[in-house]
Amino acid sequence: MRWARGGFGGALAGIGLILALAAQGIGVFPGSAAWGAPAGAVDELSGAALRRVAAQGTSLNAFAWGTNFSGQLGNGTTAGVGSCPSCNPSPGQVPGLSNLTALEGGNGHTLALRSDGTVWAWGNNGSGQLGNGTTSTGGCACIPTPGQVVDLSGAVGIAAGFDHSLAVKGDGTAWAWGGDTYGQLGNGGTSTGSSVPGQVMGLSGVTAVAAGTQFSAALTSSGTVWAWGINDRHELGTGSTLSYSTVPVQANSLTGVRAIAAGSKYILALRTDGTVWGWGANDSGQLGNGSTTDSSTPVQVSGLSSIVGIAAGYFHALALKSDGTVWAWGANQSGQLGNGTSGDIRTTPVPVSALPGVVAVAAGDAFSLALRGDGTVWSWGRNEFGELGTGTSGGESDIRVQVSGLNGATAVAAGEGHGLALCCFVASTPTPVPTATNTPVLPPTPTTNPGATATPTVVGAPTATPTPTAVCSPRPAVRVTVQPAGANQLSVTVAAGGNARLQQLQFGAATNALIDVAGTPEFSGNRTITLPLETQLTTFTVHHATVGQATTVPLTVVDGCGSWPTFVGGGPNAF
């Protein structure tokens, strides 16, 4: 999440994380939020996929850039690089961590989830938000190197708030630690906080958590949203004037939710029908309903459909559509909406300019990140502390620019002035960084703006180019992501990395499942599907007979770089 600096009185800009935990051609991440699964939900590889990853020497590592005042970059110092005081404008690897499945950025602190279910934290620890049994004082009140959160195992999701942290375990329980001034730890009382995790009261079947400015939220397997903590801007969504709640309360009249994200003083929810809803503060139009009036109950974001992912920043929000385009609304003082303008607000969604093929998004305080299907990371908005990751600091960009040096990224996250990525490979020579006047050639971006009366001009609009030759090194060419798609369903997306093109999907015999590929009658496996010549992204659906039933779908993906055996798996945590 992202939080305000001192000028905002310590208000948190909850940076809603959308992770693209996509396998590098070797496995599947069940519940990947790349395609709209709950932020921080079951973002870990299945056991079989993990064994495959280990066998092939692939390990997801954390990379961080931007502000480092509290040691949130995890590099052992609070110092900066070059002319950037207390910041690093280029991605650097967080030492001592590997086999990661999720990252979350908070107000000066960062969380990481490992595939073994342990949670690691670094940065600001003034309220015990690192969960190591201590509270830091003096100086930066921080710990700039990763340390394990104590008394917590079996975690499958994480969230970082203003001064507190959350985790969801595989058994469906939620856990919290850090500041507790307004009951944001959900333990039935208020206190100065806790430096060790404690269970949130009264919740079961939790699939995702989100954390904002002194409030928390949880999504359950029944599709309902629960919130606790401060309610001064109607963050709890109950329709009441309750000042705060120390135990979870249900958001009014909202069901069928599959993803949540928390901003500074508001919450967003993505429903299974592809619509987005929000409640809480709306002074910058961050609820996207055409007004700037706060709402104590959920209201629908105008003009959005077919949404598969969401992210909530300090005062702005992002949505990812199924066609790979990104839409943004809310505050735009630093160009964080990415539509070629700045210094205004947008109360309804506008398209981010010239950015197709996106599989994941994240929103920071006044900047935004996107992960494309080719493994590159893009950014826009404020760059005061190098949060755009271009190798320079200062100024802003109202159109997307490329984060330097990252190839093969699989997830993005954002905190207060710092960006994060999971990645397997760092380019030895950074990819040239495009600017508003040096825009790379990409496929055309749709200009339709639902819910608005005018379409923003696309700055630096790209033109069509011939099909590139497949480039298969240095990274595998295929990634597979999975998202819940309603009761008893998984939606599977297969993307070719680099410049490769998909050729075939070869299905083995499926266990307890039926497979539905567009244009092909539903089948149970043992079938080869030949794809159109220029396909780089394709989806299919897997159906179960029973919720929670184990599913195995052997799959080999064939593209211009080779054959990639993988599988689709589902179980109790996949729905």
Side-chain angles (χ1 to χ4, degrees):
M1 322 195 117
R2 148 27 206 208
W3 297 245
R5 295 182 172 79
F8 290 102
L12 157 73
I15 287 148
L17 165 67
I18 299 295
L19 289 177
L21 293 174
Q24 300 265 327
I26 45 179
V28 172
F29 290 81
S32 168
W35 299 99
V42 186
D43 291 324
E44 63 174 352
L45 282 166
S46 65
L50 280 172
R51 288 190 291 274
R52 242 193 239 73
V53 168
Q56 299 193 21
T58 301
S59 174
L60 296 178
N61 302 302
F63 291 81
W65 62 94
T67 186
N68 197 34
F69 288 100
S70 298
Q72 57 264 59
L73 301 189
N75 58 9
T77 180
T78 59
V81 174
S83 61
C84 191
S86 294
C87 60
N88 185 351
S90 298
Q93 185 172 345
V94 178
L97 287 178
S98 60
N99 298 320
L100 301 179
T101 64
L103 293 170
E104 261 275 354
N107 181 36
H109 76 292
T110 304
L111 301 179
L113 175 63
R114 295 191 64 187
S115 58
D116 62 3
T118 60
V119 177
W120 296 69
W122 58 95
N124 191 341
N125 193 41
S127 298
Q129 56 265 57
L130 301 189
N132 63 3
T134 70
T135 299
S136 302
T137 59
C140 74
C142 64
I143 301 175
T145 55
Q148 185 175 345
V149 175
V150 300
D151 300 331
L152 184 67
S153 61
V156 295
I158 50 177
F162 171 60
D163 63 354
H164 73 296
S165 304
L166 302 172
V168 55
K169 296 180 67 171
D171 62 5
T173 58
W175 296 72
W177 60 98
D180 194 33
T181 306
Y182 291 96
Q184 60 262 42
L185 300 189
N187 58 14
T190 60
S191 68
T192 57
S194 174
S195 61
V196 296
Q199 186 172 345
V200 176
M201 295 178 61
L203 284 180
S204 61
V206 176
T207 60
V209 286
T213 304
Q214 298 172 320
F215 71 93
S216 306
L219 173 65
T220 69
S221 56
S222 63
T224 57
V225 179
W226 298 72
W228 58 99
I230 197 167
N231 194 42
D232 62 336
R233 299 293 295 275
H234 309 297
E235 297 92 326
L236 304 187
T238 61
S240 74
T241 57
L242 187 70
S243 59
Y244 64 91
S245 177
T246 62
V247 295
V249 292
Q250 186 175 349
N252 263 13
S253 304
L254 190 65
T255 59
V257 176
R258 73 180 190 188
I260 55 175
S264 174
K265 304 290 289 182
Y266 69 103
I267 295 176
L268 296 178
L270 170 62
R271 298 187 65 189
T272 54
D273 62 3
T275 60
V276 180
W277 298 69
W279 60 94
N282 195 32
D283 45 329
S284 295
Q286 56 265 50
L287 299 187
N289 64 343
S291 80
T292 55
T293 302
D294 293 0
S295 179
S296 62
T297 57
V299 294
Q300 186 172 353
V301 176
S302 299
L304 288 181
S305 60
S306 302
I307 301 301
V308 295
I310 53 176
Y314 192 12
F315 291 125
H316 76 293
L318 304 174
L320 174 63
K321 294 193 71 172
S322 59
D323 62 3
T325 60
V326 181
W327 296 74
W329 62 98
N332 194 35
Q333 74 274 18
S334 298
Q336 60 262 51
L337 302 190
N339 67 338
T341 69
S342 63
D344 59 355
I345 67 171
R346 294 298 181 100
T347 61
T348 56
V350 296
V352 174
S353 301
L355 189 65
V358 174
V359 297
V361 291
D365 50 353
F367 72 102
S368 305
L369 297 175
L371 171 66
R372 294 188 65 215
D374 62 3
T376 58
V377 179
W378 300 75
S379 59
W380 58 97
R382 192 182 65 191
N383 196 41
E384 180 181 1
F385 299 103
E387 44 266 77
L388 299 189
T390 61
T392 62
S393 60
E396 62 188 43
S397 177
D398 57 20
I399 190 169
R400 84 289 181 277
V401 294
Q402 189 172 352
V403 174
S404 63
L406 288 179
N407 282 344
T410 60
V412 288
E416 187 208 12
H418 69 296
L420 301 162
L422 289 182
C423 193
C424 297
F425 174 78
V426 181
S428 55
T429 302
T431 304
V433 179
T435 65
T437 57
N438 179 28
T439 304
V441 177
L442 298 171
T445 299
T447 55
T448 302
N449 180 10
T453 57
T455 300
T457 301
V458 176
V459 178
T463 56
T465 57
T467 301
T469 303
V471 177
C472 305
S473 178
R475 58 187 292 268
V478 173
R479 60 184 62 224
V480 182
T481 54
V482 179
Q483 72 167 49
N488 300 16
Q489 288 189 28
L490 296 175
S491 178
V492 183
T493 300
V494 181
N499 293 321
R501 294 297 186 268
L502 299 174
Q503 296 176 356
Q504 291 182 339
L505 300 179
Q506 299 175 353
F507 294 93
T511 301
N512 301 323
L514 291 175
I515 305 163
D516 187 6
V517 178
T520 303
E522 199 169 54
F523 59 96
S524 61
N526 294 317
R527 182 166 301 197
T528 296
I529 306 295
T530 300
L531 300 170
L533 180 63
E534 296 305 313
T535 301
Q536 195 166 18
L537 188 74
T538 188
T539 62
F540 61 89
T541 303
V542 177
H543 301 272
H544 280 208
T546 306
V547 172
Q549 187 179 46
T551 297
T552 302
V553 179
L555 171 64
T556 297
V557 181
V558 180
D559 72 355
C561 295
S563 299
W564 309 98
T566 181
F567 75 100
V568 176
N573 292 322
F575 295 94

